[in-house]
Amino acid sequence: MDTLLLARLQFATTASIHFLFVAVTLGLVTLLVGMQTAWVLTGNHRWERLTRFWGQLYVINYVLGIATGIVMEFQFGLNWSGLSRYAGNVFGAPLAIETLVAFFLESTFLGMWIFGWHRLRRGAHLALLYGVAITAYASAFWIMVANSWLQNPVGYEVRDGVAHLTDFAALLTNPALWMALGHVVSAALLTGGLLMAAVSAWHLNRRTTDHALFRTSLRIGLVTAALAITLVQGFGFAQFGPVGGVQPTKFGGNPEADALIADWTARFGPGDYLPPTLSNVGLGFMILIGFALGLLWLLVPLLWRDWIIRLRFPLWLIMLTLPLPFVALILGWIAREVGRHPWVAYGLLPVDQAVSPISPWLMATSLIGFTLLLGTLAVTNWTLLARHAARGAADPALGRPPAQPPADDPRPEPAFA
Amino acid sequence: MELAWYALLGLFFAGYLVLGGYDYGVGLLLARGADAPRRRAALNAIGPFFLGNEVWLVAAVGILFGAFPVLEGELLAGSYPAVAAALAGVILVTAGVQLRSRPGGRSARTAWERVIVVGSLLAALGWGVVLAGLLQGVPLRADGHVAGVTHLFTPFAAATGLAVLALVVAHGATFLTLRLPTVESDRLRPLAHRLLLTATVAVGAAAVVALFSDRVRTAAQRPAAGVLLAMLLVAALLAARVALGRRRPGVAFAATATALALPVLLVGVTLWPYVLVSTVEPSASLTVTDAAASGPTLRLLGWLAVPLLPALLGFQAMCLWIFRGRTDGRAPVYW
Ligand code: HDD
Ligand code: HEM
Ligand code: HEM
C-alpha cells in the first residue's frame, strides 16, 4: 500500500462530498435571501412560509457542509504536512483569512438565525441571513484564492527551501482565480435553483397541497437555474484561456507543454508530468452536461399560463435533470485537481514531497474510517432532506412559533421545552 | 509578532475548549437516562450557541495553518490517532445535534443521541491526548518530522484524556444548571456537585502521573509555572463547587470555564519558548519563532484579520446577550 495514493484518495473523497453539499448551500442561501427580503418588504405570509420551508432544507443540508469542511481543513495538517511546511507561508494565509473572516461569522449568524424567529425584530432577523450569505460568498472567494494558488503559484519566492510570501496582491489577480470563481458560484446557483425547481415539480406533479406555494418556487428555481446555466457556460469557456495559459500540461500535449516538461525533467528528474487522461474525459462529460442543461431555457416560455404545470411532462424533465449538476460539479473538480497532477502546487511542489511521512496502515485506517463516516452521514442527510422535501410546507420545525405544539413531537414535554 | 499570534492561537483553542466543552458535556449527559423531553431540553439549552461554539476550533486550526504552518503539519500528523479521534468526535456531535430532531420517531432520535454521546466522548478524550502529547514531548527527528505515533500511548496521555473528559462533563452539568429553568436546575445541582468532585480527582490524578513521568519532567521548561497553573485549575474546580452550593450558577460556570481554558495556558507556559519539544533530538525542538510563518505572512494576517477580531468577538457576545437567561416556554425548540 502506498501512503501517497491513499492520501490522494482521501482528499478526493472528502472534497467531493464536501462540494456536493456546499454548492447547494451557496445556491440556496442566495434564493433564501431573496425570499426573506420579499417577506419583510411585503409582509406577505406566503413568503414567510417559503422561507421556512426552503430554509429548513437549507439548514439540513448545511450540516454536512460543516462536517466535511472540518475534515478538509484538518486533512492539510494530517495528511499533507509537507504542503504546510513548504507552502504554508503563502497558501496558509488565505485559508486562515477564510476561517476568521468567513466561517466564524457564518456559523455564528446561522445559529442566531435559526433560533431568532419570533424573538428578534424582522429586520434584524433578515440582516442575519444577509450576514450568512455574504460570509458564504466570502468563504467561496478565499477558498478559491487558495485553490488557485495551488493551480498557479504566484507572489512568492523560495528561500531556504521554503516558499515565502512576497506579493499578496498577486494572489488576488491570479489568472487561475476569477473565471473559476465565477464558474463555481454560478454552478452553485444552478444547483440550488434546479433543486428548488425539482422539489417543487415533484409536489406539483403529485398535486399535493400548497399548489400556489410550489408554483412560486418552481418559477423562482427554474428562472434562476436558466440564468445560472448561461453564466456557467460563459465562465466555463472563459476558463480555457487563462488556465491553459498557466497550466500548459492540463489539457493534453502541445509544444508549450513539451518545453515545460523538458524543464521539469531537468530540475526535478525524469517522471510522468502529464495528468491522466481521466481528467479530460470528465471535463468532456461536464461540458456535455453544461450544454444539456442549457436546454432549460426551452422550459422558461412554458411558465406562461402555467403550461409547464399543465403539460406535466416538463415537470418530469425537471425532476430527471436534478442529478446532472451534481455529477458535473464532481467531474469539474476532478478535471481541475487531477489536471494539475503530479503537483500539489503546480511546477513547485510534487505530491510525493507533500504527503505526511506516516505509515500506510494508519493512512488506510483513516481513509476507510472517514469515508465510511462521511459517506453514511451523507446518505442519511440526503434521506432526511428527501423526507422533509416530501413532507411539504405545512409545518417545518424551522421558525415554528414556540407556543405551537410540534406535530411530530407528541407532548407532554416539560413546561419549558 | 509571533508571540501575539501564539497568544491568539491559544485564545481560540482555549475558547473552543470552553465553548465546545459544554456542548460535549451536555452531550455526554444525554447518556444519563433522563426522559426524552429532558434530553431534548438539554440540547436546546445549547441551542443558538452550538454553531458558534465549534467554529472556534475551525478558527484555531485556521490560525495554526496560517501563522504556524510547520507546527500544524508536525503536530497534527505527529498526533494522528488522537487528532483523528477528536475529529471524528467533532463530526459526530455536529451531525448528531443538528439532525437529532429531524426524524420524528423515538427510535431514530435515541439513535442520534447515542451518536452524540459517542462523539462527545471521542472529542473530549482526543483533545485531552493531544494536549498531553504536547506536554510530554514528541519524537521529532532531525529531519523535522515526527516519527511514529506510539509515543502517544502513555499513562500520562491516558490520565490527561480522562481528566479532560471529567472536566467536560462537569462543565456541561454546570452549564445546564445555569441555563435550564429553575426547577430543572435544582434537580441537576447535586449531580453537578458530584461531577465537579470527580473532575477534581481526575485532574489531581493526571497531575500526579505527570510528576512521575520522566518525559513530562524533561519536556517542561518551566515546571514551577506548570505546577502553579495545575493548582489554579484545581482551585477553580473547588470554587465552582462552592459557588454551586451557594446557588450561584453564574459564578460556578465562570469557574468551570476557567478550568477548561487553563490547560491550554498551562501547556503554552510550561513549554515556552518551545511549542514542540523533541524527546529524541534536543536540537530538533521547535520554538514558537521556528514554528511561525515568516514576517510578511504574519503582517498580512495582522492587517486583515486583527481589525476584524472585535467584530468576531462582538457578534459572538451579541449572540450570548440575545439568548441570555434561562430557557423557558418562549424559547424556540429546534435541535
Ligand atoms: C465554493 C465553495 C467552497 C469550496 C470550494 C470549499 N468550501 Fe468549505 N464551505 C463552503 C464553501 C466552500 C461554505 C458554503 O461556505 C460552507 C458550507 C457550510 C459552511 O459553514 O460554509 C463550507 C464549510 C466549510 C467548513 C466548516 C465551517 C463551519 O464549521 O462553519 C470548513 C472548515 C471548510 N468548509 C473548509 C474548506 C476547505 C479546507 C476547502 C478546500 C480545500 C473547502 N472548504 C472548499
Ligand atoms: C477549492 C478548494 C480546494 C483546495 C484548496 C484543494 C486542494 C487540494 C489538495 C491540497 C490536494 C492534494 C494534493 C494533490 O493530490 O494534488 C487535492 C487533491 C484533490 N482534490 Fe482538491 N482542493 C479543493 C477543492 C476540491 C473539490 C471541491 C474537489 C471535488 C471534487 C476536489 C477534488 C480533488 C481530487 C479528485 C484530488 C486528487 C487529485 C490527485 O491526487 O491527482 N478538490 N486538492
Ligand atoms: C458549457 C459548460 C461548461 C464548460 C465549458 C466548463 C468548463 C470548465 C473547465 C475548463 C474547467 C476546468 C478548469 C480548470 O481546470 O482549472 C471546469 C471546472 C469546473 N466546472 Fe465546469 N464547465 C461547464 C459546465 C459546468 C457545469 C454544468 C458545472 C456544475 C454545475 C460545472 C462545475 C465546475 C466546477 C465546480 C469546476 C471546478 C472548479 C473550477 O475550475 O472553477 N461546470 N469547467
Side-chain angles (χ1 to χ4, degrees):
Chain A
M1 270 192 305
D2 175 15
T3 306
L4 174 61
L5 182 68
L6 295 168
R8 287 172 55 196
L9 267 177
Q10 182 162 25
F11 208 102
T13 321
T14 2
S16 303
I17 305 181
H18 179 56
F19 204 68
L20 289 175
F21 288 91
V22 293
V24 173
T25 303
L26 208 56
L28 273 188
V29 77
T30 319
L31 298 172
L32 276 173
V33 161
M35 293 191 289
Q36 193 172 355
T37 309
W39 168 32
V40 171
L41 290 183
T42 65
N44 187 333
H45 181 56
R46 177 148 51 106
W47 291 114
E48 178 188 5
R49 295 191 59 216
L50 279 169
T51 314
R52 278 179 63 192
F53 176 70
W54 294 105
Q56 173 84 73
L57 299 187
Y58 165 77
V59 173
I60 296 177
N61 175 78
Y62 193 91
V63 177
L64 265 242
I66 303 179
T68 48
I70 298 178
V71 183
M72 298 280 286
E73 194 188 20
F74 274 86
Q75 239 178 99
F76 290 123
L78 287 171
N79 295 355
W80 301 99
S81 59
L83 175 66
S84 328
R85 176 179 289 272
Y86 185 84
N89 282 319
V90 197
F91 176 68
L95 283 182
I97 297 171
E98 179 192 33
T99 55
L100 285 174
V101 174
F103 293 145
F104 199 83
L105 290 178
E106 184 176 2
S107 280
T108 312
F109 289 149
L110 187 68
M112 287 197 266
W113 186 72
I114 294 174
F115 283 83
W117 300 77
H118 312 290
R119 178 140 187 165
L120 300 173
R121 262 177 284 126
R122 283 203 186 160
H125 191 232
L126 176 64
L128 286 173
L129 188 63
Y130 272 88
V132 174
I134 292 168
T135 47
Y137 276 90
S139 82
F141 172 74
W142 287 109
I143 196 70
M144 290 307 291
V145 171
N147 179 273
S148 302
W149 190 84
L150 296 178
Q151 302 291 338
N152 178 38
V154 288
Y156 68 97
E157 102 193 341
V158 177
R159 266 181 282 125
D160 314 322
V162 174
H164 294 271
L165 183 69
T166 53
D167 179 10
F168 188 65
L171 266 68
L172 303 183
T173 52
N174 193 335
L177 170 63
W178 286 95
M179 293 304 138
L181 179 67
H183 188 63
V184 167
V185 167
S186 38
L189 212 54
L190 165 68
T191 315
L194 207 55
L195 182 74
M196 186 174 280
V199 171
S200 312
W202 186 86
H203 278 284
L204 292 169
N205 188 43
R206 283 279 187 112
R207 306 236 158 98
T208 58
T209 49
D210 276 331
H211 179 88
L213 195 84
F214 288 113
R215 177 179 173 273
T216 311
S217 52
L218 174 71
R219 293 172 161 258
I220 297 175
L222 184 64
V223 171
T224 308
L227 291 172
I229 184 61
T230 304
L231 289 175
V232 167
Q233 291 171 345
F235 282 115
F237 281 116
Q239 284 199 86
F240 277 107
V243 172
V246 294
Q247 296 185 331
T249 55
K250 186 165 249 175
F251 304 122
N254 53 42
E256 260 182 274
D258 296 338
L260 198 58
I261 291 174
D263 174 43
W264 287 341
T265 312
R267 286 196 292 141
F268 293 89
D272 183 6
Y273 289 109
L274 280 178
T277 36
L278 167 101
S279 58
N280 281 326
V281 175
L283 192 64
F285 272 109
M286 175 187 63
I287 296 177
L288 222 59
I289 293 177
F291 280 130
L293 289 177
L295 301 179
L296 282 175
W297 275 110
L298 295 181
L299 296 180
V300 174
L302 296 181
L303 290 178
W304 188 63
R305 296 206 166 174
D306 283 340
W307 279 111
I308 191 165
I309 303 172
R310 284 198 251 168
L311 285 178
R312 285 265 184 138
F313 79 89
L315 298 179
W316 278 107
L317 276 182
I318 294 176
M319 286 186 262
L320 290 175
T321 50
L322 184 57
L324 292 182
F326 292 95
V327 176
L329 284 173
I330 301 303
L331 292 179
W333 274 103
I334 290 181
R336 185 170 167 99
E337 301 283 275
V338 179
R340 73 178 135 93
H341 201 69
W343 305 100
V344 175
Y346 195 73
L348 195 63
L349 182 68
V351 279
D352 52 358
Q353 289 178 23
V355 71
S356 303
I358 59 176
S359 94
W361 293 106
L362 193 56
M363 189 68 90
T365 315
S366 161
L367 167 66
I368 296 171
F370 279 108
T371 305
L372 283 180
L373 177 61
L374 295 180
T376 314
L377 285 179
V379 172
T380 318
N381 193 278
W382 278 319
T383 315
L384 284 173
L385 271 174
R387 288 222 189 110
H388 277 79
R391 192 180 292 169
D395 178 33
L398 182 72
R400 185 185 282 146
Q404 176 192 335
D408 62 345
D409 207 6
R411 300 258 161 169
E413 300 243 342
F416 54 84
Chain B
M1 198 62 164
E2 291 90 6
L3 177 60
W5 278 102
Y6 195 50
L8 207 59
L9 175 63
L11 172 73
F12 273 89
F13 193 64
Y16 162 68
L17 286 185
V18 171
L19 299 171
Y22 69 70
D23 295 349
Y24 305 142
V26 172
L28 285 160
L29 288 171
L30 294 180
R32 199 167 40 104
D35 52 7
R38 288 215 162 82
R39 292 199 296 267
R40 182 155 201 199
L43 288 177
N44 280 293
I46 313 176
F49 314 128
F50 180 74
L51 286 172
N53 287 350
E54 88 193 337
V55 89
W56 286 71
L57 172 68
V58 175
V61 179
I63 295 177
L64 186 61
F65 199 0
F68 298 93
V70 178
L71 176 62
E72 198 233 9
E74 295 320 319
L75 174 63
L76 298 190
S79 330
Y80 208 111
V83 175
L87 187 54
V90 172
I91 290 162
L92 290 174
V93 175
T94 295
V97 171
Q98 297 186 69
L99 295 180
R100 180 240 177 231
S101 295
R102 302 292 68 84
R106 269 282 140 76
S107 60
R109 288 190 174 181
T110 315
W112 278 117
E113 279 158 8
R114 295 215 180 99
V115 167
I116 299 173
V117 172
V118 172
S120 308
L121 190 72
L122 283 174
L125 288 175
W127 293 125
V129 174
V130 171
L131 286 174
L134 279 167
L135 212 51
Q136 64 183 10
V138 293
L140 194 63
R141 288 179 319 215
D143 68 357
H145 287 303
V146 177
V149 292
T150 42
H151 60 91
L152 284 176
F153 300 94
T154 62
F156 174 60
T160 313
L162 290 176
V164 171
L165 182 64
L167 272 176
V168 154
V169 186
H171 185 46
T174 314
F175 171 77
L176 285 181
T177 61
L178 178 67
R179 265 293 270 181
L180 288 179
T182 328
V183 200
E184 285 298 306
S185 162
D186 286 340
R187 273 193 55 227
L188 264 176
R189 196 172 308 107
L191 177 70
H193 222 253
R194 281 200 302 280
L195 288 172
L196 279 167
L197 187 63
T198 319
T200 318
V201 173
V203 170
V208 172
V209 178
L211 290 179
F212 284 102
S213 155
D214 287 338
R215 286 180 51 185
V216 177
R217 283 210 307 264
T218 330
Q221 310 293 316
R222 284 150 212 280
V227 171
L228 197 70
L229 285 169
M231 275 154 53
L232 211 60
L233 211 171
V234 172
L237 289 174
L238 293 176
R241 253 173 83 88
V242 174
L244 261 194
R246 300 209 177 137
R247 309 200 169 218
R248 302 282 300 278
V251 178
F253 181 70
T256 55
T258 315
L260 270 144
L262 275 174
V264 178
L265 189 65
L266 191 153
V267 170
V269 171
T270 312
L271 295 183
W272 179 265
Y274 292 100
V275 274
L276 221 47
V277 177
S278 173
T279 48
V280 289
E281 176 71 50
S283 63
S285 294
L286 278 181
T287 64
V288 172
T289 321
D290 297 336
S294 50
T297 309
L298 292 185
R299 267 196 300 281
L300 169 84
L301 288 178
W303 280 112
L304 268 146
V306 171
L308 265 152
L309 216 58
L312 299 188
L313 301 182
F315 279 117
Q316 286 248 333
M318 185 175 116
C319 182
L320 292 177
W321 177 250
I322 292 177
F323 297 98
R324 69 189 180 279
R326 295 183 183 274
T327 48
D328 54 27
R330 287 175 303 113
V333 174
Y334 185 75
W335 295 150

